[in-house]
């Protein structure tokens, strides 16, 4: 994230003040989690630039882990909405739409903030079960309908819908991890990951 988070402003109703404080905490937390990681980020790192006390933090969240969970959830929801947008914007048949959605996810995995917070620290801090729950957000069932549509259109996937869903989910997830953890040329790894998706999900023709 570029720049610094502006301190929370006073004024307005209590509900408005609370919402402003919460948004400021989340933005500042995301900045630090992305730059240093969860383990190296302290409450003071987040609170000091905002001029807030620990009381403000614990009024909004149960602790640092809850704050991280919320940042992670919001980023995953944003990613999910982008995946759906790219899926819906893709022209052509459902196979092309499925590819577009998978590639949109891989592109997000290449973004440093998302790579660090969601794909690297997320499983370590929250655990795989909690991450799986976040991954099943409101966008996910809609994207799975795209998988089903691609199968019906003759995509190069098993006719068994549940098996195909797991293949797409697992393969794209692992490719995203590969992109996120690339230490040399992440753009080149992203290019190779996209090429793999294009080979995995092919038109019947």
């Amino acid at each position: 994230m570029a720049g610094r988070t502006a301190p929370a402003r006073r004024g307005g109703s209590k509900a408005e003040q609370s919402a402003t404080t919460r948004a400021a905490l989340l933005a500042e937390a995301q900045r630090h989690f992305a730059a240093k990681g969860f383990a190296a980020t302290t409450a003071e790192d987040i609170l000091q630039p905002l001029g807030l006390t620990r009381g403000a933090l614990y009024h909004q969240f149960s602790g640092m882990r809850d704050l991280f969970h919320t940042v992670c959830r919001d980023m995953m929801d944003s990613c999910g909405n982008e995946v759906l947008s790219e899926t819906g914007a893709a022209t052509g048949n459902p196979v092309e739409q499925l590819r577009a959605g998978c590639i949109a996810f891989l592109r997000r995995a290449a973004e440093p903030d998302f790579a660090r917070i969601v794909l690297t620290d997320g499983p370590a801090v929250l655990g795989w079960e909690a991450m799986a729950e976040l991954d099943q957000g409101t966008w996910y069932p809609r994207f799975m309908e795209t998988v089903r549509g691609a199968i019906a259109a003759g995509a190069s996937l098993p006719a068994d819908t549940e098996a195909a869903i797991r293949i797409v989910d697992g393969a794209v997830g692992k490719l995203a991890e590969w992109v996120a953890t690339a230490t040399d040329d992440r753009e080149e790894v992203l290019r190779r990951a996209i090429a793999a998706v294009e080979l995995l999900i092919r038109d019947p023709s």
Side-chain angles (χ1 to χ4, degrees):
M1 293 175 59
R4 299 181 66 83
T5 306
R9 296 179 178 178
R10 298 180 181 277
S13 68
K14 287 186 177 180
E16 290 171 338
Q17 291 176 28
S18 179
T20 299
T21 298
R22 184 180 181 87
L25 285 167
L26 288 170
E28 189 69 15
Q30 181 176 329
R31 187 173 73 84
H32 284 283
F33 292 150
K36 301 192 296 183
F38 176 80
T41 299
T42 67
E44 285 69 28
D45 289 334
I46 297 167
L47 295 169
Q48 191 275 330
L50 301 175
L52 296 173
T53 65
R54 280 181 173 266
L57 173 64
Y58 289 106
H59 178 72
Q60 299 288 340
F61 306 97
S62 63
M64 288 290 286
R65 189 177 182 277
D66 184 33
L67 175 59
F68 179 84
H69 181 279
T70 305
V71 168
C72 198
R73 182 201 65 200
D74 289 352
M75 294 183 76
M76 292 178 74
D77 285 347
S78 173
C79 175
N81 290 333
E82 183 176 328
V83 167
L84 290 176
S85 176
E86 291 296 316
T87 300
T91 58
N93 63 39
V95 180
E96 293 176 3
Q97 293 176 336
L98 176 58
R99 274 201 304 265
C102 293
I103 290 171
F105 181 71
L106 293 178
R107 292 193 187 282
R108 181 59 73 93
E111 296 177 5
D113 284 20
F114 191 86
R116 179 65 177 270
I117 295 172
V118 176
L119 297 177
T120 302
D121 276 6
V125 175
L126 302 177
W128 286 106
E129 185 175 345
M131 291 299 293
E133 290 178 0
L134 290 178
D135 201 30
Q136 302 296 318
T138 55
W139 70 273
Y140 189 83
R142 291 170 58 193
F143 185 66
M144 288 304 99
E145 287 303 316
T146 305
V147 178
R148 294 184 176 90
I151 294 169
S156 56
L157 293 168
D160 183 328
T161 302
E162 294 304 315
I165 287 173
R166 283 163 174 75
I167 288 172
V168 172
D169 193 30
V172 175
K174 285 298 183 182
L175 288 171
E177 290 178 25
W178 182 34
V179 172
T181 56
T183 56
D184 295 326
D185 188 346
R186 184 173 285 172
E187 285 301 316
E188 172 60 16
V189 174
L190 173 61
R191 185 193 66 77
R192 293 164 64 189
I194 290 173
V197 166
E198 290 172 340
L199 285 173
L200 174 67
I201 305 169
R202 300 190 307 276
D203 289 308
S205 57

